[in-house]
Amino acid sequence: MKDMIKTGLILMVYTLVAGLILGFIYTSTQAAIKEAELKNTIDAVKFVLTENGNLLVKEKVIKEAVLEGSKEEEKEIFKKGTSAVLTPVLNFHTERGKVYVLKGYGIGYGGKVVTIASFLVNNKKIDLLSIRVIEYSQETPGLGAKIAEETSQKRFYPIPYEGLKNGVKVDKDAGKSNLSPEEAKKIGVVKISDVMTGATITPRAVASTIDTMFKYLQKEVQ
């Protein structure tokens, strides 16, 4: 009987120690993941607020805004079809006017494709300045995952108000594959088929996200 009690106590201690170790590992891992996600977001916001190599807003202001925004639970605040705008909504006063930085997603081939984008708003006129795709892990390597490449992302911006009003579409959907990338952006078309051959769903998800963000801002700045 004594041996059984002793064995039971030893097992209980081992179980308790193992549980504490696993709990510590989980907590440490979650903290590291959260820190990495926060850094990724800050870097993306800095990218979309950079123009001609210069930040439109001081780096300190950007970090403070992102950190403050991270305190609230992320949720959908506007949805159009399968795309949505998420909290927090950041806005900054710049020499060029008020700039909104939005986070949203569209549905790609393998799941959500998350984008951060900046929009300049002047007298209810909304222009897309820049975008950064920050999540695309479920997209197919060599196809949809090419959305991560700078060459692909540059095809989505900048888009002027006149182009955004038309509704943002990829060139295959708009039937405008004959236009140059810059000509296409002027009318809200993203010429992407030549740099992402065989991958339509992923760029369509980003285009849909931009379109949804524009619709959200139209509602907000009226």
Side-chain angles (χ1 to χ4, degrees), residues 9-23:
L9 288 172
I10 292 171
L11 288 172
M12 184 176 71
V13 171
Y14 275 133
T15 303
L16 179 61
V17 171
L20 289 172
I21 292 172
L22 287 173

Side-chain angles (χ1 to χ4, degrees), residues 96-215:
R96 291 191 59 192
K98 196 169 187 178
V99 175
Y100 284 82
V101 176
L102 304 180
K103 181 179 182 180
Y105 72 82
I107 302 301
Y109 183 77
K112 291 180 180 178
V113 179
V114 182
T115 302
I116 287 179
S118 58
F119 294 83
L120 176 66
V121 179
N122 273 320
N123 299 319
K124 298 184 180 181
K125 183 181 176 183
I126 304 164
D127 298 306
L128 172 68
L129 296 180
S130 182
I131 73 152
R132 197 68 165 175
V133 178
I134 62 169
E135 191 175 320
Y136 51 87
S137 60
Q138 301 302 314
E139 300 309 290
T140 308
L143 292 172
K146 291 185 76 174
I147 195 69
E149 297 176 6
E150 195 64 33
T151 305
S152 300
Q153 294 194 31
K154 280 186 175 179
R155 294 297 180 92
F156 289 88
Y157 67 92
I159 298 178
Y161 177 65
E162 290 72 21
L164 293 172
K165 279 196 308 180
N166 293 333
V168 182
K169 297 181 179 69
V170 296
D171 51 345
K172 279 191 175 181
D173 292 340
K176 299 288 183 179
S177 298
N178 59 315
L179 297 176
S180 72
E182 297 310 311
E183 288 174 326
K185 282 185 276 192
K186 289 177 183 178
I187 58 172
V189 175
V190 178
K191 183 169 183 178
I192 196 74
S193 59
D194 58 330
V195 292
M196 289 187 68
T197 307
T200 304
I201 298 175
T202 308
R204 187 183 287 146
V206 178
S208 175
T209 302
I210 294 170
D211 192 52
T212 300
M213 289 174 170
F214 176 68
K215 295 293 191 296

